[in-house]
């Protein structure tokens, strides 16, 4: 048994490692090759190209590496056409993987794609290419599976690995103790993103939000998990220039611990919203992009929500204050409301718990079972 996989970034490496581990249970003598990171390689995966070569973000960066990326893809197609694997699995990285999958499938190789592109939100016509490229789509969320069923694309909802890893109930006290926080004061976690551009755009309004909250509740304490040393330095530089001595503790990494320690969270849209929901935390979601980008996206995006809790519930569970609505006044008001011990917050917790149980399906095993079924069909 020979299984080919391409993962393009750290999240894909995590999924790939779990998938390989489960496939090895079914096929002990199987070999795995393609492109992957250190977690996949620790499972015996043979990475033909360093995964970092695929981890490119932004139009300018992609253009700068376009010829290299195209050559890598051509070389993989040539290799696997000459010596076909039993199956190819593309993990995320749709711009790279979908064309690769289509070419391999045309050569008679079975293909699966793990982690759906956001076709349900924008550029819906991409589903036509996906239908030609894959024998099976593996989705993390049930609403994605419904979309593919409506478009007659073979699909399997496998659940989300974070829902498997995070307990259904997570106590707050141990995380507060670990971070050295006052257990008697409520904690607000500010998460302006992991990229420098996000931190640049959001930190000022997030810090101003903290200042306004303190005017009404001077007993609050604030924490900001920084994704890297560079982000920590960036946030601390902004804090140093800020008027007044804001009681904000910047913590390197440990974002999940910071979220678990919190009473409410203000965060940029993204996977962190799912993590916060699985930890059962009230939250306010915010995002700001360049005005031209916002105008373009507003025309392209068909979904009414951007945060995963709202998409999963098909209604507004958590406030989304985007672009011109993302003012410190609006954000502070929404966050203060979420610090109250109200019936709405208890109901929110129960809804979070319901969604968590939906997503907790042992994703690695489910994905491996679906791939095995594809191989043996």
């Amino acid at each position: 048994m020979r299984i080919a996989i391409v993962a393009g970034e750290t999240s894909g490496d995590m999924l790939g490692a779990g998938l390989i581990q489960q496939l090895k249970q079914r096929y002990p003598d199987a070999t795995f090759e393609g492109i992957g990171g250190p977690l996949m390689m620790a499972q015996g995966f043979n990475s033909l190209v360093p995964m970092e070569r695929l981890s490119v973000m932004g139009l300018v960066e992609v253009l700068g590496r376009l010829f290299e990326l195209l050559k890598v893809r051509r070389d993989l197609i040539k290799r696997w056409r000459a010596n076909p694997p039993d199956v190819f699995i593309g993990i995320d990285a749709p711009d790279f993987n979908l064309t690769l999958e289509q070419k391999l499938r045309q050569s008679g190789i079975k293909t699966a794609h793990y982690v759906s592109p956001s076709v349900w939100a924008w550029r819906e016509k991409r589903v036509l290419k996906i239908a030609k490229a894959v024998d099976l789509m593996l989705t993390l969320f049930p609403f994605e599976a419904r979309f593919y069923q409506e478009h007659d694309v073979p699909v399997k909802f496998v659940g989300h690995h974070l829902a498997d890893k995070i307990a259904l109930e997570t106590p707050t006290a141990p995380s507060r103790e670990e971070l050295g926080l006052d257990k008697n004061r409520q904690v607000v976690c500010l998460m302006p993103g992991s990229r420098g551009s996000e931190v640049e755009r959001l930190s000022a309004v997030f810090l101003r939000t903290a200042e306004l909250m303190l005017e009404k509740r001077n007993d609050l304490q604030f924490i900001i998990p920084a994704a890297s040393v560079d982000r920590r330095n960036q946030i601390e530089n902004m804090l140093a220039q800020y008027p007044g001595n804001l009681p904000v503790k910047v913590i390197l990494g440990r974002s999940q611990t910071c979220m678990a320690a919190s009473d409410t969270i203000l965060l940029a849209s993204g996977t962190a919203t799912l993590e916060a929901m699985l930890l059962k935390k009230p939250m306010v979601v915010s995002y700001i992009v360049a005005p031209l980008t916002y105008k373009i996206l507003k025309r392209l995006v068909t979904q009414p929500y951007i945060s995963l809790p709202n998409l999963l519930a098909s209604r507004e569970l958590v406030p989304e204050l985007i672009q011109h609505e993302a003012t410190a006044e609006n954000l502070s008001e929404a966050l203060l409301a979420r610090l109250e011990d109200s019936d709405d917050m208890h109901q929110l917790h129960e809804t979070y718990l319901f969604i968590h149980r939906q997503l907790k399906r042992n994703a690695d095993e489910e994905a491996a079972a679906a791939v095995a079924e594809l191989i043996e069909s």
Side-chain angles (χ1 to χ4, degrees), residues 125-161:
K125 288 186 177 178
R126 285 179 295 170
V127 75
L128 301 175
K129 180 175 182 176
I130 291 168
K132 293 176 184 175
V134 305
D135 293 291
L136 178 65
M137 175 63 72
L138 302 172
T139 73
L140 308 183
F141 303 114
F143 66 84
E144 296 173 321
R146 289 193 292 272
F147 174 86
Y148 286 105
Q149 286 163 356
E150 289 166 6
H151 289 83
D152 297 320
V153 176
V155 63
K156 173 73 174 177
F157 161 53
V158 300
H160 202 290
H161 68 105

Short mmCIF file of all heavy atoms in Angstrom, two decimals, residues 125-161:
data_model
loop_
_atom_site.label_atom_id
_atom_site.label_comp_id
_atom_site.label_asym_id
_atom_site.label_seq_id
_atom_site.Cartn_x
_atom_site.Cartn_y
_atom_site.Cartn_z
N LYS A 125 -18.74 28.70 -7.63
CA LYS A 125 -18.55 27.92 -8.86
C LYS A 125 -17.31 27.03 -8.81
O LYS A 125 -17.14 26.14 -9.64
CB LYS A 125 -18.48 28.85 -10.07
CG LYS A 125 -19.84 29.45 -10.43
CD LYS A 125 -19.80 30.25 -11.70
CE LYS A 125 -21.19 30.77 -12.04
NZ LYS A 125 -21.18 31.61 -13.26
N ARG A 126 -16.44 27.24 -7.80
CA ARG A 126 -15.29 26.36 -7.63
C ARG A 126 -15.71 24.92 -7.38
O ARG A 126 -14.93 23.99 -7.59
CB ARG A 126 -14.41 26.84 -6.47
CG ARG A 126 -13.58 28.07 -6.76
CD ARG A 126 -12.76 28.48 -5.55
NE ARG A 126 -13.60 28.91 -4.44
CZ ARG A 126 -13.16 29.13 -3.21
NH1 ARG A 126 -11.87 28.96 -2.93
NH2 ARG A 126 -13.97 29.54 -2.26
N VAL A 127 -16.95 24.71 -6.95
CA VAL A 127 -17.43 23.36 -6.69
C VAL A 127 -17.42 22.53 -7.97
O VAL A 127 -17.29 21.30 -7.93
CB VAL A 127 -18.83 23.38 -6.04
CG1 VAL A 127 -19.92 23.73 -7.05
CG2 VAL A 127 -19.14 22.03 -5.38
N LEU A 128 -17.53 23.18 -9.13
CA LEU A 128 -17.48 22.45 -10.41
C LEU A 128 -16.10 21.84 -10.63
O LEU A 128 -15.98 20.71 -11.09
CB LEU A 128 -17.85 23.40 -11.57
CG LEU A 128 -19.23 24.06 -11.48
CD1 LEU A 128 -19.43 25.04 -12.61
CD2 LEU A 128 -20.33 22.98 -11.49
N LYS A 129 -15.05 22.61 -10.28
CA LYS A 129 -13.69 22.08 -10.38
C LYS A 129 -13.47 20.97 -9.36
O LYS A 129 -12.84 19.95 -9.66
CB LYS A 129 -12.67 23.20 -10.18
CG LYS A 129 -11.23 22.71 -10.27
CD LYS A 129 -10.22 23.84 -10.18
CE LYS A 129 -8.80 23.28 -10.32
NZ LYS A 129 -7.77 24.36 -10.33
N ILE A 130 -13.99 21.18 -8.15
CA ILE A 130 -13.83 20.18 -7.09
C ILE A 130 -14.47 18.86 -7.51
O ILE A 130 -13.91 17.78 -7.29
CB ILE A 130 -14.43 20.70 -5.77
CG1 ILE A 130 -13.58 21.86 -5.21
CG2 ILE A 130 -14.55 19.59 -4.73
CD1 ILE A 130 -14.22 22.63 -4.08
N ALA A 131 -15.64 18.93 -8.14
CA ALA A 131 -16.33 17.72 -8.59
C ALA A 131 -15.49 16.94 -9.59
O ALA A 131 -15.54 15.70 -9.63
CB ALA A 131 -17.67 18.10 -9.22
N LYS A 132 -14.70 17.65 -10.41
CA LYS A 132 -13.84 16.98 -11.38
C LYS A 132 -12.54 16.48 -10.74
O LYS A 132 -11.89 15.58 -11.27
CB LYS A 132 -13.48 17.95 -12.51
CG LYS A 132 -14.66 18.35 -13.39
CD LYS A 132 -14.24 19.39 -14.40
CE LYS A 132 -15.42 19.86 -15.23
NZ LYS A 132 -15.05 20.97 -16.15
N ALA A 133 -12.17 17.10 -9.61
CA ALA A 133 -10.84 16.83 -9.02
C ALA A 133 -10.85 15.70 -8.01
O ALA A 133 -9.82 15.04 -7.83
CB ALA A 133 -10.30 18.10 -8.37
N VAL A 134 -11.96 15.48 -7.30
CA VAL A 134 -11.91 14.55 -6.17
C VAL A 134 -12.94 13.44 -6.28
O VAL A 134 -14.04 13.63 -6.79
CB VAL A 134 -12.10 15.30 -4.82
CG1 VAL A 134 -11.08 16.41 -4.67
CG2 VAL A 134 -13.51 15.83 -4.64
N ASP A 135 -12.54 12.27 -5.77
CA ASP A 135 -13.48 11.16 -5.59
C ASP A 135 -14.20 11.28 -4.26
O ASP A 135 -15.26 10.70 -4.07
CB ASP A 135 -12.72 9.83 -5.64
CG ASP A 135 -12.16 9.54 -7.02
OD1 ASP A 135 -12.96 9.29 -7.94
OD2 ASP A 135 -10.93 9.58 -7.18
N LEU A 136 -13.57 12.04 -3.32
CA LEU A 136 -14.16 12.17 -1.98
C LEU A 136 -13.69 13.46 -1.32
O LEU A 136 -12.50 13.77 -1.33
CB LEU A 136 -13.74 10.98 -1.11
CG LEU A 136 -14.23 10.97 0.34
CD1 LEU A 136 -15.75 10.84 0.41
CD2 LEU A 136 -13.57 9.84 1.12
N MET A 137 -14.64 14.20 -0.76
CA MET A 137 -14.33 15.39 0.04
C MET A 137 -14.56 15.06 1.51
O MET A 137 -15.62 14.54 1.88
CB MET A 137 -15.24 16.57 -0.38
CG MET A 137 -15.09 17.81 0.47
SD MET A 137 -13.45 18.59 0.41
CE MET A 137 -13.47 19.29 -1.25
N LEU A 138 -13.56 15.33 2.34
CA LEU A 138 -13.67 15.13 3.78
C LEU A 138 -13.84 16.50 4.44
O LEU A 138 -12.96 17.35 4.32
CB LEU A 138 -12.41 14.45 4.32
CG LEU A 138 -12.06 13.09 3.72
CD1 LEU A 138 -10.70 12.63 4.21
CD2 LEU A 138 -13.12 12.05 4.05
N THR A 139 -14.96 16.72 5.12
CA THR A 139 -15.23 18.03 5.70
C THR A 139 -15.15 17.99 7.23
O THR A 139 -15.42 16.96 7.86
CB THR A 139 -16.61 18.58 5.30
OG1 THR A 139 -17.63 17.86 6.00
CG2 THR A 139 -16.84 18.47 3.80
N LEU A 140 -14.81 19.14 7.80
CA LEU A 140 -14.70 19.28 9.25
C LEU A 140 -16.04 19.62 9.89
O LEU A 140 -16.24 19.38 11.08
CB LEU A 140 -13.69 20.37 9.60
CG LEU A 140 -12.30 20.28 8.96
CD1 LEU A 140 -11.41 21.40 9.48
CD2 LEU A 140 -11.66 18.93 9.20
N PHE A 141 -16.95 20.22 9.08
CA PHE A 141 -18.20 20.75 9.63
C PHE A 141 -19.41 20.20 8.87
O PHE A 141 -19.34 19.99 7.65
CB PHE A 141 -18.20 22.28 9.55
CG PHE A 141 -17.03 22.92 10.24
CD1 PHE A 141 -16.06 23.61 9.53
CD2 PHE A 141 -16.88 22.81 11.62
CE1 PHE A 141 -14.98 24.19 10.17
CE2 PHE A 141 -15.80 23.38 12.26
CZ PHE A 141 -14.84 24.07 11.54
N PRO A 142 -20.54 20.01 9.57
CA PRO A 142 -21.71 19.43 8.91
C PRO A 142 -22.32 20.32 7.84
O PRO A 142 -22.83 19.81 6.83
CB PRO A 142 -22.69 19.19 10.07
CG PRO A 142 -22.21 20.04 11.21
CD PRO A 142 -20.73 20.18 11.02
N PHE A 143 -22.28 21.65 8.00
CA PHE A 143 -22.88 22.51 6.98
C PHE A 143 -22.11 22.42 5.66
O PHE A 143 -22.69 22.60 4.58
CB PHE A 143 -23.00 23.97 7.46
CG PHE A 143 -21.70 24.69 7.68
CD1 PHE A 143 -21.04 25.30 6.63
CD2 PHE A 143 -21.14 24.77 8.95
CE1 PHE A 143 -19.84 25.99 6.83
CE2 PHE A 143 -19.94 25.45 9.16
CZ PHE A 143 -19.29 26.05 8.10
N GLU A 144 -20.81 22.11 5.72
CA GLU A 144 -20.03 21.92 4.50
C GLU A 144 -20.49 20.65 3.78
O GLU A 144 -20.63 20.63 2.55
CB GLU A 144 -18.54 21.81 4.83
CG GLU A 144 -17.95 23.07 5.43
CD GLU A 144 -16.51 22.87 5.91
OE1 GLU A 144 -16.20 21.80 6.46
OE2 GLU A 144 -15.71 23.80 5.73
N ALA A 145 -20.71 19.58 4.55
CA ALA A 145 -21.16 18.32 3.94
C ALA A 145 -22.49 18.50 3.23
O ALA A 145 -22.70 17.98 2.13
CB ALA A 145 -21.25 17.24 5.01
N ARG A 146 -23.38 19.26 3.85
CA ARG A 146 -24.69 19.50 3.22
C ARG A 146 -24.53 20.22 1.88
O ARG A 146 -25.22 19.91 0.91
CB ARG A 146 -25.59 20.32 4.16
CG ARG A 146 -26.09 19.53 5.37
CD ARG A 146 -27.21 20.26 6.08
NE ARG A 146 -26.76 21.49 6.73
CZ ARG A 146 -26.28 21.55 7.97
NH1 ARG A 146 -26.17 20.44 8.70
NH2 ARG A 146 -25.91 22.70 8.50
N PHE A 147 -23.59 21.17 1.82
CA PHE A 147 -23.33 21.91 0.58
C PHE A 147 -22.91 20.95 -0.54
O PHE A 147 -23.41 21.02 -1.67
CB PHE A 147 -22.25 22.97 0.82
CG PHE A 147 -21.79 23.68 -0.41
CD1 PHE A 147 -22.47 24.80 -0.88
CD2 PHE A 147 -20.69 23.23 -1.14
CE1 PHE A 147 -22.06 25.46 -2.03
CE2 PHE A 147 -20.28 23.88 -2.29
CZ PHE A 147 -20.97 25.00 -2.73
N TYR A 148 -21.98 20.05 -0.23
CA TYR A 148 -21.49 19.12 -1.26
C TYR A 148 -22.56 18.11 -1.66
O TYR A 148 -22.65 17.73 -2.84
CB TYR A 148 -20.22 18.41 -0.78
CG TYR A 148 -19.02 19.33 -0.81
CD1 TYR A 148 -18.50 19.86 0.37
CD2 TYR A 148 -18.44 19.70 -2.01
CE1 TYR A 148 -17.42 20.73 0.34
CE2 TYR A 148 -17.36 20.57 -2.05
CZ TYR A 148 -16.86 21.08 -0.88
OH TYR A 148 -15.80 21.96 -0.91
N GLN A 149 -23.38 17.69 -0.71
CA GLN A 149 -24.48 16.79 -1.06
C GLN A 149 -25.43 17.45 -2.06
O GLN A 149 -25.89 16.81 -3.01
CB GLN A 149 -25.23 16.38 0.20
CG GLN A 149 -24.47 15.38 1.07
CD GLN A 149 -25.00 15.28 2.49
OE1 GLN A 149 -25.92 16.03 2.88
NE2 GLN A 149 -24.44 14.39 3.29
N GLU A 150 -25.69 18.74 -1.85
CA GLU A 150 -26.56 19.49 -2.77
C GLU A 150 -25.96 19.60 -4.16
O GLU A 150 -26.69 19.76 -5.14
CB GLU A 150 -26.83 20.89 -2.20
CG GLU A 150 -27.74 20.90 -0.99
CD GLU A 150 -27.71 22.24 -0.24
OE1 GLU A 150 -27.07 23.19 -0.75
OE2 GLU A 150 -28.31 22.33 0.85
N HIS A 151 -24.62 19.51 -4.25
CA HIS A 151 -23.94 19.61 -5.55
C HIS A 151 -23.44 18.25 -6.05
O HIS A 151 -22.61 18.19 -6.97
CB HIS A 151 -22.78 20.61 -5.45
CG HIS A 151 -23.23 22.03 -5.31
ND1 HIS A 151 -23.59 22.58 -4.10
CD2 HIS A 151 -23.40 23.01 -6.23
CE1 HIS A 151 -23.95 23.85 -4.29
NE2 HIS A 151 -23.85 24.13 -5.56
N ASP A 152 -23.94 17.18 -5.45
CA ASP A 152 -23.64 15.80 -5.90
C ASP A 152 -22.14 15.49 -5.91
O ASP A 152 -21.65 14.79 -6.81
CB ASP A 152 -24.23 15.55 -7.30
CG ASP A 152 -25.75 15.65 -7.30
OD1 ASP A 152 -26.36 15.16 -6.33
OD2 ASP A 152 -26.31 16.24 -8.24
N VAL A 153 -21.42 16.00 -4.93
CA VAL A 153 -20.01 15.66 -4.76
C VAL A 153 -19.91 14.66 -3.60
O VAL A 153 -20.42 14.95 -2.51
CB VAL A 153 -19.15 16.91 -4.45
CG1 VAL A 153 -17.69 16.52 -4.18
CG2 VAL A 153 -19.22 17.92 -5.60
N PRO A 154 -19.30 13.49 -3.81
CA PRO A 154 -19.17 12.52 -2.71
C PRO A 154 -18.46 13.15 -1.51
O PRO A 154 -17.39 13.73 -1.66
CB PRO A 154 -18.33 11.39 -3.32
CG PRO A 154 -18.55 11.51 -4.81
CD PRO A 154 -18.71 12.98 -5.07
N VAL A 155 -19.07 13.03 -0.33
CA VAL A 155 -18.56 13.76 0.82
C VAL A 155 -18.73 12.94 2.09
O VAL A 155 -19.65 12.12 2.20
CB VAL A 155 -19.28 15.13 0.96
CG1 VAL A 155 -20.77 14.95 1.23
CG2 VAL A 155 -18.63 16.00 2.03
N LYS A 156 -17.83 13.17 3.04
CA LYS A 156 -17.94 12.56 4.37
C LYS A 156 -17.60 13.61 5.41
O LYS A 156 -16.52 14.22 5.37
CB LYS A 156 -16.95 11.39 4.48
CG LYS A 156 -16.84 10.77 5.86
CD LYS A 156 -18.04 9.94 6.22
CE LYS A 156 -17.84 9.21 7.56
NZ LYS A 156 -19.01 8.45 7.97
N PHE A 157 -18.53 13.87 6.33
CA PHE A 157 -18.27 14.76 7.47
C PHE A 157 -17.56 13.94 8.54
O PHE A 157 -18.11 12.96 9.04
CB PHE A 157 -19.60 15.33 7.98
CG PHE A 157 -19.55 15.88 9.38
CD1 PHE A 157 -18.60 16.83 9.74
CD2 PHE A 157 -20.46 15.46 10.34
CE1 PHE A 157 -18.55 17.32 11.05
CE2 PHE A 157 -20.44 15.95 11.63
CZ PHE A 157 -19.47 16.88 11.98
N VAL A 158 -16.33 14.34 8.88
CA VAL A 158 -15.52 13.54 9.82
C VAL A 158 -15.40 14.18 11.20
O VAL A 158 -14.89 13.55 12.13
CB VAL A 158 -14.11 13.26 9.24
CG1 VAL A 158 -14.21 12.51 7.93
CG2 VAL A 158 -13.28 14.54 9.08
N GLY A 159 -15.85 15.44 11.34
CA GLY A 159 -15.69 16.13 12.62
C GLY A 159 -14.39 16.90 12.67
O GLY A 159 -13.60 16.91 11.71
N HIS A 160 -14.16 17.57 13.79
CA HIS A 160 -12.98 18.44 13.93
C HIS A 160 -12.07 17.92 15.03
O HIS A 160 -12.53 17.61 16.14
CB HIS A 160 -13.41 19.87 14.24
CG HIS A 160 -12.39 20.89 13.89
ND1 HIS A 160 -11.20 21.02 14.59
CD2 HIS A 160 -12.35 21.82 12.91
CE1 HIS A 160 -10.48 22.01 14.06
NE2 HIS A 160 -11.15 22.49 13.04
N HIS A 161 -10.76 17.84 14.73
CA HIS A 161 -9.81 17.28 15.70
C HIS A 161 -9.76 18.10 16.99
O HIS A 161 -9.49 17.56 18.07
CB HIS A 161 -8.42 17.15 15.08
CG HIS A 161 -7.74 18.45 14.79
ND1 HIS A 161 -6.72 18.93 15.57
CD2 HIS A 161 -7.95 19.38 13.83
CE1 HIS A 161 -6.32 20.10 15.09
NE2 HIS A 161 -7.05 20.39 14.04
#
